[in-house]
Amino acid sequence: RYFPGDRSHWLKLKKDYIEGFGDTAEFAIIGASVPPDRPGVYSDFTVAVLQEDVESLEAIDGVPRLVAIFNVLLGLSEVELKLLQPLLKDLSCHSTTNYMLDYATGFTQGPDILLSAPLVVELLGSGFVKERGQPHWTLRFPRIKKIFINRPLSDILSFNALQQLGDSVIVDDCDDLMK
């Protein structure tokens, strides 16, 4: 029985909590930071997409151009984070990377460490969102689902593909509401 304002008997079930639902896409982790609440543990990851579509990747001197667009802090267990630390330290660099990097509009702070070679990851989210004052779509409530060690950067989304994906999901959701 429903009582206004009483939420004690309700369970909120979101589509991305159900296996096989939610929005997933492949991105690149290009850096990591140590958040204040977890000293010594890289657990705040900077996520990027290709600046250009995959077809133009080869055409521009073979050096991938990436755009950092958001951070992800969720999805890995304590054990997985612990196992990932040596790899992050091995891949960390101070200046030399195998890619060019820009930051999206509104991206205010870069990572503590950059990775010399990005890690391709599958992220799971609850739809797409344009953060306040930002002109571009990002994944809403992103969580790391899988980390791929030897996947090529050509597997990740481009900035344009991410924007088209965000636009299409919003249109599809609006169409569903109108039914």
Side-chain angles (χ1 to χ4, degrees), residues 22-35:
D23 298 292
T24 61
E26 290 176 3
F27 295 84
I29 290 179
I30 54 95
S33 296
V34 176

Side-chain angles (χ1 to χ4, degrees), residues 34-175:
V34 176
D37 61 335
R38 290 183 123 156
V41 178
Y42 291 108
S43 59
D44 182 353
F45 302 101
T46 303
V47 176
V49 292
L50 288 169
Q51 190 173 50
E52 308 288 335
D53 292 324
V54 175
E55 295 77 33
S56 60
L57 192 61
E58 301 292 324
I60 313 173
D61 67 26
V63 178
R65 287 166 172 74
L66 302 177
V67 180
I69 52 171
F70 60 87
N71 287 345
V72 62
L73 298 114
L74 303 172
L76 298 177
S77 69
E78 291 298 321
V79 171
E80 291 167 327
L81 278 172
K82 187 175 182 176
L83 291 172
L84 189 58
Q85 298 305 301
L87 178 61
L88 293 172
K89 289 176 183 168
D90 286 348
L91 290 174
S92 70
C93 68
H94 296 288
S95 59
T96 307
T97 62
N98 65 0
Y99 55 92
M100 306 267 303
L101 180 63
D102 286 321
Y103 291 91
T105 305
F107 204 97
T108 55
Q109 183 177 348
D112 294 344
I113 60 167
L114 278 177
L115 302 182
S116 57
L119 294 172
V120 174
V121 293
E122 180 180 3
L123 298 182
L124 170 67
S126 178
F128 296 87
V129 66
K130 286 186 179 180
E131 296 293 341
R132 183 177 305 191
Q134 300 305 314
H136 56 272
W137 292 107
T138 61
L139 202 54
R140 182 173 185 241
F141 303 127
R143 297 175 300 286
I144 297 172
K145 190 171 177 184
K146 291 181 190 172
I147 298 175
F148 303 101
I149 303 300
N150 293 316
R151 291 280 289 274
L153 282 177
S154 58
D155 286 353
I156 70 171
L157 285 177
S158 70
F159 186 80
N160 288 337
L162 176 60
Q163 301 317 298
Q164 290 170 358
L165 197 52
D167 288 338
S168 71
V169 169
I170 297 303
V171 169
D172 288 346
D173 286 349
C174 288
D175 289 345

